[in-house]
């Protein structure tokens, strides 16, 4: 490992960037570390934002690190500063306050920003919200407290988190999505119906196969939305979950390869030596499905951060993890393990739906690549999840239909 005073720059202080900074300090006591973010906060837990939105936890519980933590480790945390450009020839990054920082190794851990709602009437209308940051959450909470009706828009994880938050706060909530069911890139009509039934129990009006045509504001706030199929939906506020665009723009004038995300090898290094990427923004080589892809989960970003930090400090460790995602879904849970993508033509899947607890149903879907289990999606009971994670990790062959069916009932 390196011992002299190397200069490390990390763009983005989410869980990937902050974990990388911590790992660098542990492995390289003499180096300098600059950790930059456009946000005003040290690391906070994005996964906790939905519970903060619902009023289940207070803001303090969302925070993970404070400024003192960085000072104690001699990590220069620079907040409210946007990196505007990377120069891989000069090995510098430039910031929006006119500064230039040199680096010996660079980590891009910039995550993504939410796609805005671009329909007639949206521009200039207040109370249309994305939901990614702590500041987004505070603004949405303030508006929820003065609203009666709300619309959650989209078929993504974020749209259901918004919908859940509105419903728990007792707003008259509509959940509108263009697709035929929620999470259409992973579920199927059966799984979609299981989720709808849970949402409806909370009084949510669920609408599929329709989209916002325009917003009809009254005095600059959304009065109601018009949909393409002619509906008019009252909404004092609109929560938008239309996916994210990964933050690769600052690399536009560099030779660093980007597609949807920043392309890295299994060591999380880009095609430009000394430049790494980690977390949501990294398009990494996933050994379980033998191809590059991005993954927007906390565990993945955390594990990436550790590996990137190690390798920036001179190590050589490959990323071989199986990321998992668990989250409350109204009064049940949803868990995703590995790669669960119905739209991936290389994967086959089987699913099972059965009665569960509290009048809900359990739904489980398994994804296979050739003979191996590579992904799991569970709604409702999480029983058997740990064993399934182990099976995905083990990469064992599961070829016989009966053996695959048995996994659908594994407890
Ligand atoms: C509401 C919500 C709920 C979620 N729930 C779950 C869950 O239940 N389970 C789960 O596994 N995952 C969940 N996720 C996803 C998870 O939070 C992310 O996968 C994870 O936080 C990604 O971490 P990251 O470090 O890669 O990026 P981020 O946390 O996105 O951090 C990137 C940081 O870089 C900053 N940045 C970007 N560009 C620049 C620039 N040019 N200059 C300076 N700073 C820049 C960004 O503003 C941001 O602060 C949730 C996400 C959200 C938003």
């Amino acid at each position: 490992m390196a011992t002299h005073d190397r200069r490390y720059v990390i763009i983005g202080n989410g869980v990937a960037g902050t974990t990388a900074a911590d790992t660098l300090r542990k492995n390289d006591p003499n180096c300098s570390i600059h950790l930059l973010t456009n946000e005003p906060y040290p690391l906070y837990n994005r996964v906790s934002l939905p519970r903060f939105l619902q009023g289940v936890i207070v803001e303090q519980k969302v925070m993970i690190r404070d400024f003192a933590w960085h000072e104690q480790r001699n990590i220069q945390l620079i907040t409210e500063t946007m990196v505007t450009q990377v120069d891989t020839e000069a090995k510098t990054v430039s910031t929006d306050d006119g500064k230039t920082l040199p680096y010996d190794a660079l980590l891009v851990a910039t995550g993504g920003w939410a796609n805005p709602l671009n329909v007639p009437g949206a521009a200039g209308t207040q109370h249309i919200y994305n939901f990614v940051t702590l500041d987004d959450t505070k603004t949405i909470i303030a508006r929820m407290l003065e609203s009666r009706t709300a619309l959650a828009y989209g078929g993504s994880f974020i749209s259901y988190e918004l919908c859940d938050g509105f419903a728990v706060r007792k707003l008259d909530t509509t959940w509108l999505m263009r697709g035929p069911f929620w999470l259409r890139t992973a579920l199927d009509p059966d799984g979609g119906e299981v989720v709808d039934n849970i949402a409806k129990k909370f009084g949510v009006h669920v609408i599929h196969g329709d989209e916002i045509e325009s917003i009809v504001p009254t005095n600059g706030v959304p009065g109601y939305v018009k949909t393409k199929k002619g509906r008019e939906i009252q909404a004092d506020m609109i929560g938008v979950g239309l996916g994210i665009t990964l933050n690769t723009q600052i690399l536009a004038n560099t030779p660093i390869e980007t597609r949807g995300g920043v392309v890295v090898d299994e060591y999380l290094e880009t095609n430009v030596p000394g430049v790494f990427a980690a977390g949501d923004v990294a398009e990494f080589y996933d050994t379980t499905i033998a191809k590059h892809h991005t993954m927007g989960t906390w565990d993945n970003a955390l594990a990436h951060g550790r590996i990137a930090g190690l390798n920036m400090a001179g190590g050589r460790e490959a990323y071989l993890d199986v990321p998992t995602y668990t989250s409350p879904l109204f009064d049940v849970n949803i868990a995703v393990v590995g790669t669960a993508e119905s739209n991936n033509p290389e994967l086959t899947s089987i699913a099972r739906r059965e009665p569960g607890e509290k009048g809900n149903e359990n739904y489980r879907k398994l994804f296979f690549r050739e003979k191996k289990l590579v992904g799991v999606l569970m709604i409702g009971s999480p029983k058997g999840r740990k064993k399934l994670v182990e099976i995905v990790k083990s990469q064992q062959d599961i070829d016989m239909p009966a053996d695959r069916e048995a996994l659908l009932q594994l407890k």
Side-chain angles (χ1 to χ4, degrees), residues 11-17 36-39 44 46-50 81-84 109-113 131-133 158 160-161 247 250 278-281 295-299 301 324-328:
I11 314 171
N13 77 329
V15 64
L36 294 122
T37 177
N38 61 304
E39 292 196 59
Y44 60 87
R46 285 191 207 281
V47 174
S48 298
L49 294 180
T81 302
M82 186 76 84
V83 171
T84 49
T110 45
W113 282 319
F131 178 37
V132 174
T133 66
I158 296 298
Y160 100 69
E161 300 281 19
N247 291 325
I250 49 170
D280 284 8
V281 80
M295 186 161 288
T297 75
W298 184 267
D299 286 0
T324 60
Y325 181 109
T326 50
S327 169

Side-chain angles (χ1 to χ4, degrees), residues 92-401:
T92 56
V93 300
S94 308
T95 58
D96 60 353
D97 55 0
K99 298 211 172 79
T100 301
L101 278 170
Y103 66 78
D104 296 306
L106 173 70
L107 178 64
V108 181
T110 45
W113 282 319
N115 295 327
L117 179 62
N118 280 323
V119 296
T125 302
Q126 295 179 57
H127 309 314
I128 301 174
Y129 303 101
N130 288 121
F131 178 37
V132 174
T133 66
L134 179 54
D135 282 342
D136 290 342
T137 317
K138 290 184 195 175
T139 320
I140 299 172
I141 291 171
R143 180 60 180 166
M144 285 203 284
L145 298 176
E146 57 187 28
S147 296
R148 203 185 53 77
T149 55
L151 174 69
Y153 186 43
S156 65
F157 269 101
I158 296 298
S159 72
Y160 100 69
E161 300 281 19
L162 283 160
C163 180
D164 196 353
F166 295 153
V168 166
R169 297 253 188 186
K170 306 275 184 244
L171 302 188
D172 185 356
T173 305
T174 303
W175 190 6
L176 172 68
M177 62 196 89
R178 195 173 55 181
F181 47 85
W182 179 65
L183 215 60
R184 68 170 159 178
T185 54
L187 290 177
D188 53 26
D190 251 1
E193 198 172 84
V194 169
V195 175
D196 282 359
N197 290 340
I198 299 167
K200 284 176 187 164
K201 239 179 55 178
F202 280 73
V204 173
H205 317 286
V206 187
I207 303 171
H208 304 281
D210 201 357
E211 57 192 295
I212 298 180
E213 185 176 74
S214 64
I215 306 217
V216 186
T218 318
N219 300 327
V221 303
Y224 63 93
V225 305
K226 277 189 177 175
T227 71
K228 289 213 167 147
K229 291 195 174 159
R231 293 181 171 95
E232 290 185 354
I233 304 168
Q234 293 296 319
D236 298 327
M237 60 189 300
I238 300 171
V240 180
L242 296 176
I244 60 171
T245 301
L246 298 171
N247 291 325
T248 61
Q249 308 85 332
I250 49 170
L251 306 178
N253 297 320
T254 72
I256 297 169
E257 190 188 350
T258 59
R259 290 193 283 253
V262 183
V263 181
V264 290
D265 61 18
E266 61 267 51
Y267 304 103
L268 304 183
E269 193 165 20
T270 68
N271 57 318
V272 174
V275 180
F276 295 74
D280 284 8
V281 80
E283 194 163 328
F284 62 99
Y285 185 75
D286 186 335
T287 50
T288 55
I289 55 168
K291 66 177 210 180
H292 278 83
H293 70 156
T294 56
M295 186 161 288
T297 75
W298 184 267
D299 286 0
N300 182 62
L302 177 88
H304 272 191
R306 194 185 70 79
I307 297 278
L310 279 176
N311 293 340
M312 288 167 81
R316 193 80 178 145
E317 195 173 312
Y319 177 74
L320 299 170
D321 219 358
V322 174
T324 60
Y325 181 109
T326 50
S327 169
L329 178 71
F330 297 97
D331 60 345
V332 301
N333 280 298
I334 180 163
V336 183
V337 177
T339 306
E341 295 168 350
S342 295
N343 57 355
N344 184 334
E346 290 170 17
L347 306 188
T348 56
S349 62
I350 53 173
R352 180 181 166 91
R353 177 181 179 181
E354 61 183 16
E357 288 172 3
K358 297 183 264 185
N360 296 318
E361 290 170 285
N362 294 329
Y363 172 85
R364 184 179 292 190
K365 189 168 183 182
L366 305 176
F367 296 81
F368 297 88
R369 181 175 180 271
E370 295 167 358
K371 295 178 180 174
K372 300 186 193 322
L373 181 68
V374 295
V376 178
L377 194 149
M378 300 169 86
I379 296 170
S381 169
K383 280 186 190 153
R385 191 184 73 93
K386 281 194 179 152
K387 288 183 194 159
L388 289 165
V389 173
E390 287 312 314
I391 293 169
V392 175
K393 279 187 179 162
S394 73
Q395 290 282 289
Q396 60 188 270
D397 286 352
I398 303 163
D399 210 6
M400 304 301 290

